[in-house]
């Protein structure tokens, strides 16, 4: 049996109802029921988490796999996630973790303590811990407890997230999280509503807040044929990043493969990803990357000043690095993120 423990970020309402304040779903939950994510439950008028100590997936990954290309490049990160998610994406790549709790199906995870997680990260020589795979917001208690301890032990903390945290949740994370990869899945409310059961506006607001809070930030967009692949929408995403997050923000454009409830269309043509890459560069973004196309030239980091290849990659492996003290070895331009991530 999974255990439950008191949740944070909620408020009591009349008649033993509660409202969860962890994410922008802001679920109103009746006694005995769970929120939309399926892992936060009203137990006689108190909100409890069912995944406070219940890790369902854990691996030691290259940090490039998150993907983070400008934060501690070439390092390993202990990556963990629980069951449950506050989105229901038709194209979810981790649906076996994220969706079953919504149907009251709960695969047993592995009970862990924050101490064990931090010790495991150190044992495997990871420079950081990544809260990932499903959605860290729904296991915020475990994230915060582990991140505090990790920070004391000089490990960095990373979230890989859909960016749908409530303002209070982001505040709790601030000061503990060092880097984030946030999905910007599309640039239309209809996509977020119909494909994810969520909303775009809070994600845009949170991206701006994260930039202001000073975490290292990279953004990922999965391009899906017929859903978010119009030239107009791709340009809007690129321009949002440039104008609101800064030209130095890395943008990862990933290739969709049919999965979960979205099997009625083919994988994204490589030419579409290449066109999106071009659009990102034309919008003024300095670091645009292709994803899910191993060996593609778009995986490499180029100097925005002299166009020298600074880091060449094969998938998640670094092959050649031409950086000196976080700057281009050719022209000396400082490259965003690299100096920061060595501190
Ligand atoms: S974290 Fe879960 S319970 Fe809380 S508001 Fe979000 S979806 Fe609802």
């Amino acid at each position: 049996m999974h255990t439950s423990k008191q949740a944070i970020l909620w408020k009591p309402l009349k008649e033993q109802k509660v409202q969860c304040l962890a994410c922008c779903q802001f679920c109103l939950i009746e006694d005995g029921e769970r929120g939309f994510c399926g892992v936060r439950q009203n137990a006689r008028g108190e909100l409890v988490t069912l995944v406070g100590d219940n890790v369902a997936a854990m691996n030691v990954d290259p940090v490039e796999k998150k993907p983070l290309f400008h934060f501690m490049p070439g390092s390993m990160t202990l990556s963990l996630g629980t069951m449950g998610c506050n989105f229901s994406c038709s194209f979810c790549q981790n649906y076996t973790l994220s969706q079953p709790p919504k149907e009251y199906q709960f695969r047993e995870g592995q009970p862990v303590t924050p101490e064990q997680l931090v010790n495991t990260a150190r044992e495997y020589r990871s420079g950081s811990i990544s809260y990932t795979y499903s959605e860290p917001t729904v296991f915020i208690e475990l994230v915060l407890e582990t991140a505090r301890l990790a920070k004391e032990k000089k490990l960095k903390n990373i979230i890989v997230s859909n960016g749908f945290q409530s303002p209070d949740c982001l505040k709790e994370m601030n000061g503990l999280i060092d880097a984030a990869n946030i999905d910007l899945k599309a640039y239309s409310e209809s996509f977020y509503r119909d494909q994810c059961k969520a909303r775009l506006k809070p994600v845009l607001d949170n991206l701006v807040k994260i930039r202001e809070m000073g975490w290292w930030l990279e953004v990922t967009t999965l391009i899906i044929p017929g859903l978010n692949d119009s030239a107009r929408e791709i340009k809007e995403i690129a321009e949002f990043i440039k104008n609101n997050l800064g030209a130095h923000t890395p943008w990862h454009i990933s290739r969709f493969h049919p999965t979960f409830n979205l099997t009625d269309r083919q994988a994204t043509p490589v030419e579409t990803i290449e066109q999106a890459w071009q659009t990102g560069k034309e919008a003024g973004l300095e670091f645009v990357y292709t994803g899910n196309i191993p060996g593609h030239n778009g995986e490499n980091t180029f100097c925005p000043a002299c166009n020298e290849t600074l880091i060449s990659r094969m998938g998640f492996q670094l092959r050649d690095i031409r950086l000196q003290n976080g700057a281009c070895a050719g022209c000396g331009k400082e490259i965003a993120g690299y100096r920061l991530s060595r501190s």
Side-chain angles (χ1 to χ4, degrees):
M1 274 294 292
H2 53 271
T3 55
S4 60
K5 61 191 256 190
Q6 178 93 40
I8 61 167
L9 296 171
W10 61 279
K11 66 177 181 188
L13 301 172
K14 286 181 190 157
E15 296 165 358
Q16 289 212 331
K17 287 184 198 157
V18 301
Q19 182 169 32
C20 179
L21 305 174
C23 88
C24 287
Q25 299 285 7
F26 292 116
C27 296
L28 295 169
I29 312 172
E30 304 262 354
D31 187 17
E33 300 294 315
R34 296 182 191 175
F36 180 65
C37 57
V39 295
R40 300 171 77 77
Q41 181 163 339
N42 180 342
R44 289 183 288 284
E46 301 214 327
L47 190 69
V48 296
T49 167
L50 307 179
V51 289
D53 65 351
N54 209 297
V55 168
M58 186 160 71
N59 293 289
V60 179
D61 287 332
V63 74
E64 281 75 15
K65 197 171 177 179
K66 300 305 100 191
L68 284 178
F69 279 13
H70 288 239
F71 187 77
M72 303 174 78
S75 70
M76 302 304 281
T77 182
L78 180 76
S79 304
L80 61 100
T82 70
M83 300 285 282
C85 185
N86 53 351
F87 277 25
S88 266
C89 297
S90 58
F91 48 90
C92 182
Q93 293 165 348
N94 283 330
Y95 64 92
T96 56
L97 275 185
S98 65
Q99 300 307 310
K102 293 190 170 68
E103 309 296 327
Y104 279 63
Q105 294 165 7
F106 205 98
R107 202 179 73 210
E108 289 305 315
Q110 187 188 343
V112 288
T113 64
E115 289 78 12
Q116 287 169 328
L117 292 171
V118 169
N119 288 342
T120 304
R122 286 155 62 94
E123 192 181 326
Y124 285 90
R125 297 184 184 282
S126 298
S128 60
I129 298 182
S130 293
Y131 310 93
T132 176
Y133 298 133
S134 46
E135 168 52 48
T137 306
V138 308
F139 59 95
I140 181 66
E141 293 79 9
L142 183 62
V143 171
L144 297 178
E145 284 174 37
T146 308
R148 275 187 204 107
L149 200 56
K151 198 174 166 67
E152 280 172 26
K153 302 291 180 191
K154 310 277 185 241
L155 296 171
K156 304 284 188 193
N157 290 296
I158 294 167
I159 60 163
V160 181
S161 169
N162 56 31
F164 207 57
Q165 292 85 358
S166 68
D168 286 345
C169 185
L170 267 192
K171 264 189 223 151
E172 292 282 345
M173 289 178 166
N174 199 16
L176 292 173
I177 301 300
D178 300 285
N181 187 302
I182 305 289
D183 278 347
L184 180 50
K185 294 172 189 281
Y187 206 71
S188 73
E189 286 291 352
S190 59
F191 180 103
Y192 268 82
R193 182 188 63 232
D194 300 342
Q195 301 300 325
C196 308
K197 307 286 180 281
R199 287 177 291 128
L200 168 64
K201 177 74 169 47
V203 178
L204 298 180
D205 292 346
N206 281 348
L207 282 163
V208 172
K209 277 185 208 151
I210 288 171
R211 168 57 73 225
E212 288 168 357
M213 291 191 302
W215 305 356
W216 179 249
L217 174 64
E218 304 194 15
V219 175
T220 295
T221 304
L222 182 75
I223 304 285
I224 305 173
L227 291 183
N228 63 357
D229 63 342
S230 72
R232 179 190 53 77
E233 189 160 0
I234 289 169
K235 189 160 178 265
E236 284 172 339
I237 296 173
E239 287 177 348
F240 172 83
I241 297 171
K242 162 81 182 341
N243 295 334
N244 296 279
L245 310 179
H248 63 295
T249 308
W251 184 31
H252 300 264
I253 309 160
S254 273
R255 190 178 185 213
F256 160 85
H257 291 280
T259 185
F260 191 36
N261 288 330
L262 207 58
T263 53
D264 63 346
R265 62 202 71 213
Q266 302 287 314
T268 316
V270 171
E271 306 78 65
T272 305
I273 301 294
E274 288 172 338
Q275 186 55 52
W277 186 94
Q278 195 61 39
T279 301
K281 297 299 282 185
E282 284 167 8
L285 294 179
E286 293 180 342
F287 307 105
V288 186
Y289 297 106
T290 58
N292 290 345
I293 316 172
H296 196 282
N297 195 36
E299 289 181 329
N300 301 329
T301 301
F302 301 99
C303 175
C306 70
N307 212 31
E308 174 88 11
T309 306
L310 298 176
I311 299 185
S312 59
R313 301 181 177 83
M314 171 58 80
F316 306 121
Q317 303 299 323
L318 309 191
R319 291 192 303 187
D320 197 16
I321 303 177
R322 293 191 204 122
L323 282 168
Q324 275 178 356
N325 299 325
C328 171
C331 72
K333 179 176 171 62
E334 189 168 327
I335 304 301
Y338 293 133
R339 198 181 293 277
L340 169 89
S341 65
R342 291 182 304 118
S343 63

